[in-house]
Amino acid sequence: MKLPLFTAFAAFLAFAGAAFAQKPVELLNVSYDPTRELYVEYNAAFARHWKAKTGQDVVIRQSHGGAGKQARSVIDGLQADVVTLALSYDIDEISAKAKLFPADWQKRLPYNSAPYTSTIVFVVRKGNPKGIKDWGDIVKPGVSIITPNPKTSGGARWNYLAAWAYALEKNGGSQEAARQFVADLYKNVPVLDSGARGSTTTFVQRGIGDVFLSWENEAFLALKEFGTDKFEIVVPSLSILAEPPVTLVDRVAKRKGTTEVARGYLEYLYSPEGQEIAGRHFYRPNVPEAKAKFASQFVDVKLVTIDEVFGGWQKAQKEHFSDGGTFDQIYLKK
Amino acid sequence: MRNLTVSRAAAYAAAFSTIAFAPFSARAQTTDAPPEDVAALRAQIAALDQKLRVLERNLEIKDDTAAAAAKTAPVITAGAGGFSLTSADKKFSLRIRGNIQADGRYYLEEKSDASDTPDAFVLRRIRPSFEGTVGEKFGFRIMPDFANNQLQLLDAYATYKQSDEFSLLFGKAKSPFDLERLVSQTNLLFIERSYPTLLGPNRDTGVQASGDLFAGRFSYQAAYLDGASDGGSVETDTNDGKDAVLRLFTHPFKNNEDSFFKGLGFGVAYSAGTREVGSGAIRSYTTNALVPFFQYNGNVRPDGDHTRLSPQIYFYKGPFGLLASYTETDQELINTTTVTPASVRGDFANRAWAVTANYVLTGEDTGYNTSPKPRQDFNLSAGTWGAWEVAARVSAIDVDEGAFAGAGTGIFANRNTQAAGVDSLSLGLNWYLNRNVKASLNFEHSSFDEAAGRSASLEDFEDENAVLTRVQLSF
């Protein structure tokens, strides 16, 4: 019996198609550690927006962890539709090693694909018992510093580089002095968590350390959640402009058929509502209108950039955080 | 982990004793100590407290790191079900299984001519199998057979599982037709399958769709295949004709825990296809003891339509099981060398049925395509004997009388030398030493039907009595 193959194939496709139809589209956002609360609210807002715009239901799943670890997971096959990580180097690594999206990904969205920025501040215990006012105070003997591991955490790398930048400025650009300064800093670090949220736990909940080098948004969150009667924020004289970028993971989204909704998800971060949510969660919005609205929420601090002090992330990563780099040298000596 | 626990306990003890006793010793020595000394001691306690907290937190981080590493580490298992390697997310796995069946065949009647079947030890099956999953929805299975010093590729297929309701299989696998054929070779009640399997397809290559509906109470299998001969497998397809196979099966009381008929299942299988004259010879029919009793003439080939129908049923309740099926195969054949056009072609319907009952004497549950799991493994020194099971089967096969008609001794089959049917009684005893080792003893009795018009001068076909044995190791 010769069954018409085309008919059989068409019937199969119809059957399979029916099985796929009418399911809500699902996105996976692989993000860094402290963005949990931000994306809980943002995801709900975007789902409402997308439903109203297209009639399509969208469910967004989140994955959080140290930015370096998260990038490694995506390289190893975690099926992220979008990544929203702590720094561009980790996203560059995904592009370079897994070829999931083009190398010039950062040009695809405004502001170098960073819808919001942040910086590094100090959180100290109420009354600031160690009298910490600036970077110079935290490297003194007897001061216990909480910061995560720069090998796995994006926030920790920003901490490290901010300290290095401060030391450079204080010492007339001497790299050797900066290196010694950062080495002294890590002598005072008793615990290395893998991510920023772990360090928050160490400092806030476990009661360890005198000063916590923290993302600005994480610092505000700690005060909001655990009380201003327990902690204070100290803004150093100099810090670093942290630009956590976002991008579409083209090949995964194409394979899953989620390109349009994933792109919409990232673009909505720049919308008034997206920027408002970022501001409410103590990220510094990048779109001028929202930036102006939330300006009073953040202290005015001198911010250096990774490009002007370190020549960009690729160079900084290679010199400081690659295996055998400066961090390994100073931390292993500890 | 043990070292970690020990070091943690030691650290706690040391830190605790330091903190706990420091204030007392300080108080004993400094009852009238100046305030600055008290402050110093407080600072010392605070410092020790921090050290303890740091120690505790570092151990906590180590534990978290170890737990995270465990989440991504592949899982290796070895057990009665085989050996497996599974990724941490369970999406990728490889399972290695296998079975060896060493048989003995003893024919109780000795014949003086060439038709005598020698008693023999044979390696019936030597089958390693490799199966697993590749990603969330895809799977595979590869199973060769090395029996009789020959390499055959029996199963080689990829699967796609969209849901319980819809799966696809591509490649070579058992055709979804015969109830007993679909029982794994390691779970057979008798050493050899019975006559309905002679009339159904064995392994075939193509695409199959299957699924369970209504909470597993109804299942379907549909296939579009190269088209295997009765009882045969397709190794290389030599014609354009293909088989469509549909099998519908239901377990209406499957989810009703209290129902007496929970273990009842019944259904029907149907196949339809065409064969071209070049599609190869037709397999001979053999008794349950594997002795050939019917073979079409050597120049007879399939040519035209070929349909099969098989109603099938089983019922299992505790240690008792019953399985029955009937198969009818209807096939157009051609004698490629006969000269009378009217006699050259024929349409023949062969029929077979079997009813099998089994009972596990030691009380373990039995079921379709499962073996009893001994409550206690065989252990001579402990006086435990595994599981024991008895089984009985009546079965029969009838060849279409038309096959023996025609000039000479028959156009399509030789009515003098070939039997027109067999009625068989099988008795079996199975000993499950443990989940991996089974020993079987079967007695097979068969009596043969003669074709109409068989020469009266010939002796009747002699009944066949045979004892079959098997030792099976499977994992």
Side-chain angles (χ1 to χ4, degrees):
Chain A
M1 189 178 84
K2 289 190 177 184
L3 281 185
L5 269 178
F6 176 78
T7 308
F9 188 61
F12 159 66
L13 285 182
F15 195 172
F20 282 105
Q22 300 303 322
K23 286 190 176 175
V25 63
E26 193 174 273
L27 295 183
L28 174 60
N29 175 7
V30 174
S31 194
Y32 62 109
D33 229 358
T35 58
R36 287 172 170 82
E37 294 77 12
L38 163 67
Y39 280 109
V40 165
E41 186 177 349
Y42 177 76
N43 291 347
F46 175 74
R48 284 193 302 274
H49 159 74
W50 193 254
K51 176 79 173 173
K53 183 181 174 186
T54 68
Q56 185 178 36
D57 288 314
V58 57
V59 175
I60 301 115
R61 291 190 296 122
Q62 287 294 135
S63 171
H64 295 276
K69 277 174 67 180
Q70 293 293 82
R72 186 75 248 169
S73 297
V74 175
I75 291 167
D76 289 343
L78 183 60
Q79 296 292 291
D81 299 273
V82 298
V83 289
T84 56
L85 294 179
L87 45 91
S88 62
Y89 175 80
D90 289 330
I91 300 183
D92 284 339
E93 280 292 281
I94 298 172
S95 173
K97 291 186 174 164
K99 314 282 186 202
L100 294 175
F101 44 81
D104 64 348
W105 59 271
Q106 212 160 357
K107 294 177 183 167
R108 300 193 295 189
L109 287 167
Y111 310 108
N112 279 332
S113 291
Y116 42 78
T117 64
S118 190
T119 188
I120 302 303
V121 298
F122 302 162
V123 181
V124 297
R125 302 196 184 279
K126 187 67 182 175
N128 194 358
K130 293 288 171 87
I132 292 165
K133 295 185 176 63
D134 207 346
W135 292 98
D137 299 319
I138 68 171
V139 297
K140 292 174 183 169
V143 175
S144 177
I145 303 167
I146 300 304
T147 180
N149 186 346
K151 305 288 275 190
T152 53
S153 161
R157 275 174 274 176
W158 288 115
N159 294 346
Y160 173 107
L161 294 174
W164 193 286
Y166 167 85
L168 276 180
E169 185 173 283
K170 277 287 173 190
N171 295 284
S174 165
Q175 295 287 346
E176 192 48 45
R179 177 191 170 99
Q180 188 55 52
F181 182 85
V182 173
D184 290 343
L185 185 153
Y186 277 95
K187 279 179 191 163
N188 287 354
V189 177
V191 174
L192 275 183
D193 287 281
S194 63
R197 185 53 57 91
S199 286
T200 306
T201 301
T202 298
F203 184 76
V204 173
Q205 292 177 292
R206 302 291 185 271
I208 298 169
D210 301 309
V211 56
F212 170 31
L213 310 189
S214 169
W215 287 98
E216 184 180 48
N217 56 286
E218 189 78 346
F220 277 114
L221 187 69
L223 262 63
K224 187 180 167 189
E225 288 206 356
F226 296 98
T228 50
D229 58 330
K230 291 190 177 68
F231 306 105
E232 295 176 13
I233 291 176
V234 172
V235 181
S237 62
L238 177 148
S239 193
I240 195 162
L241 178 66
E243 296 175 299
V246 301
T247 195
L248 174 74
V249 185
D250 298 37
R251 284 179 56 188
V252 173
K254 186 179 177 186
R255 188 162 59 241
K256 292 165 68 176
T258 56
T259 301
E260 187 187 359
V261 62
R263 191 176 284 136
Y265 178 78
L266 295 180
E267 288 170 353
Y268 198 63
L269 282 165
Y270 294 87
S271 71
E273 187 178 18
Q275 292 282 290
E276 174 84 19
I277 292 169
R280 277 208 299 271
H281 286 271
F282 309 107
Y283 292 84
R284 298 180 177 217
N286 244 338
V287 175
E289 294 75 16
K291 195 175 193 171
K293 180 178 176 182
F294 285 95
S296 61
Q297 183 173 280
F298 306 103
V299 294
D300 197 15
V301 55
K302 180 183 179 184
L303 297 177
V304 298
T305 69
I306 183 97
D307 290 339
E308 65 195 25
V309 180
F310 298 97
W313 261 113
Q314 290 291 338
K315 188 165 181 286
Q317 178 75 25
K318 188 177 175 189
E319 286 181 10
H320 294 277
F321 307 117
S322 60
D323 288 346
T326 309
F327 174 74
D328 280 349
Q329 293 164 28
I330 61 179
Y331 194 73
L332 292 175
K333 272 189 185 175
K334 179 192 165 192
Chain B
M1 190 65 197
R2 189 178 172 191
N3 289 341
L4 189 64
T5 308
V6 170
S7 63
R8 175 184 287 185
Y12 283 172
F16 177 77
S17 60
T18 306
I19 292 168
F21 292 110
F24 295 114
S25 59
R27 191 182 301 146
Q29 294 167 19
T30 61
T31 308
D32 301 318
E36 57 269 25
D37 286 356
V38 174
L41 284 169
R42 283 188 176 144
Q44 192 180 1
I45 291 168
L48 287 168
D49 176 63
Q50 278 290 299
K51 281 187 178 176
L52 178 60
R53 286 170 187 258
V54 166
L55 190 63
E56 205 170 27
R57 180 61 175 158
N58 276 322
L59 289 169
E60 193 179 358
I61 290 171
K62 273 187 186 173
D63 285 351
D64 289 348
T65 305
K71 281 181 186 171
T72 57
V75 179
I76 299 169
T77 58
F83 306 90
S84 70
L85 178 65
T86 308
S87 67
D89 61 6
K90 297 186 169 57
K91 290 180 179 173
F92 295 84
S93 65
L94 172 66
R95 190 174 175 196
I96 300 173
R97 306 179 68 188
N99 73 83
I100 295 171
Q101 294 176 346
D103 288 10
R105 297 172 189 158
Y106 314 96
Y107 299 94
L108 304 185
E109 288 80 26
E110 291 295 330
K111 297 174 184 173
S112 56
D113 59 12
S115 67
D116 183 62
T117 307
D119 298 343
F121 290 111
V122 291
L123 290 172
R124 179 70 171 85
R125 295 180 177 93
I126 304 172
R127 297 181 180 178
S129 78
F130 308 90
E131 55 196 55
T133 53
V134 182
E136 209 164 355
K137 295 179 182 294
F138 294 93
F140 67 91
R141 175 179 162 96
I142 298 169
M143 184 175 75
D145 189 359
F146 296 96
N148 301 320
N149 285 329
Q150 291 180 326
L151 174 61
Q152 280 184 291
L153 186 58
L154 297 181
D155 286 339
Y157 58 77
T159 58
Y160 170 78
K161 183 173 182 178
Q162 168 63 28
S163 62
D164 288 343
E165 290 80 19
F166 184 69
S167 298
L168 287 171
L169 180 154
F170 303 92
K172 185 179 179 186
K174 285 180 180 175
S175 179
F177 184 85
D178 181 68
L179 185 66
E180 196 179 10
R181 175 71 70 192
L182 293 172
V183 174
S184 163
Q185 68 268 8
T186 58
N187 293 326
L188 292 173
L189 274 176
F190 284 91
I191 289 173
E192 297 299 335
R193 294 183 175 94
S194 191
Y195 300 123
T197 59
L198 292 178
L199 304 187
N202 191 345
R203 285 178 164 83
D204 207 342
T205 306
V207 57
Q208 301 187 21
S210 62
D212 294 329
L213 307 174
F214 308 116
R217 289 193 298 270
F218 179 82
S219 62
Y220 71 91
Q221 291 163 292
Y224 190 60
L225 306 165
D226 276 340
S229 62
D230 288 342
S233 298
V234 173
E235 305 304 333
T236 305
D237 193 17
T238 56
N239 73 115
D240 286 339
K242 296 287 173 281
D243 271 7
V245 183
L246 179 65
R247 181 171 181 264
L248 304 174
F249 207 84
T250 182
H251 315 81
F253 307 102
K254 181 180 181 182
N255 302 323
N256 189 343
E257 290 299 325
D258 300 327
S259 172
F260 179 81
F261 295 104
K262 183 174 185 291
L264 173 68
F266 58 89
V268 63
Y270 178 77
S271 78
T274 56
R275 303 280 184 276
E276 293 175 356
V277 70
S279 58
I282 307 167
R283 286 170 61 90
S284 63
Y285 294 167
T286 58
T287 66
N288 291 335
L290 298 182
V291 176
F293 68 87
F294 175 79
Q295 171 77 62
Y296 286 105
N297 290 334
N299 44 17
V300 173
R301 294 286 184 273
D303 184 32
D305 290 342
H306 186 184
T307 59
R308 302 182 187 97
L309 179 69
S310 177
Q312 40 201 252
I313 186 170
Y314 60 63
F315 174 71
Y316 292 94
K317 178 74 176 171
F320 174 74
L322 187 69
L323 181 146
S325 66
Y326 169 86
T327 298
E328 177 172 324
T329 178
D330 195 337
Q331 186 169 22
E332 287 187 63
L333 301 177
I334 185 170
N335 185 323
T336 56
T337 58
T338 50
V339 292
T340 309
S343 309
V344 122
R345 181 177 294 278
D347 188 346
F348 305 109
N350 300 336
R351 301 171 182 85
W353 59 269
V355 179
T356 305
N358 64 300
Y359 187 79
V360 186
L361 299 170
T362 43
E364 287 85 350
D365 284 348
T366 183
Y368 178 69
N369 200 11
T370 61
S371 292
K373 295 178 178 61
R375 289 173 182 152
Q376 293 176 314
D377 289 351
F378 168 65
N379 186 327
L380 203 56
S381 56
T384 54
W385 290 90
W388 291 78
E389 178 183 52
V390 290
R393 175 173 68 192
V394 288
S395 56
I397 182 169
D398 289 306
V399 178
D400 194 312
E401 282 291 335
F404 302 99
T409 55
I411 299 285
F412 292 91
N414 188 322
R415 54 181 166 265
N416 287 339
T417 59
Q418 306 301 308
V422 180
D423 299 298
S424 294
L425 170 68
S426 312
L427 299 174
L429 178 67
N430 294 318
W431 178 22
Y432 301 90
L433 285 76
N434 51 48
R435 289 181 63 179
N436 299 104
V437 181
K438 172 185 174 185
S440 298
L441 175 67
N442 287 183
F443 171 73
E444 294 283 356
H445 171 81
S446 295
S447 58
F448 301 91
D449 300 330
E450 294 180 4
R454 185 171 185 259
S455 171
S457 62
L458 296 170
E459 289 183 17
D460 291 346
F461 292 118
E462 192 177 359
D463 287 356
E464 176 187 275
N465 293 290
V467 174
L468 309 183
T469 62
R470 169 169 294 167
V471 173
Q472 168 182 295
L473 185 146
S474 62
F475 57 88

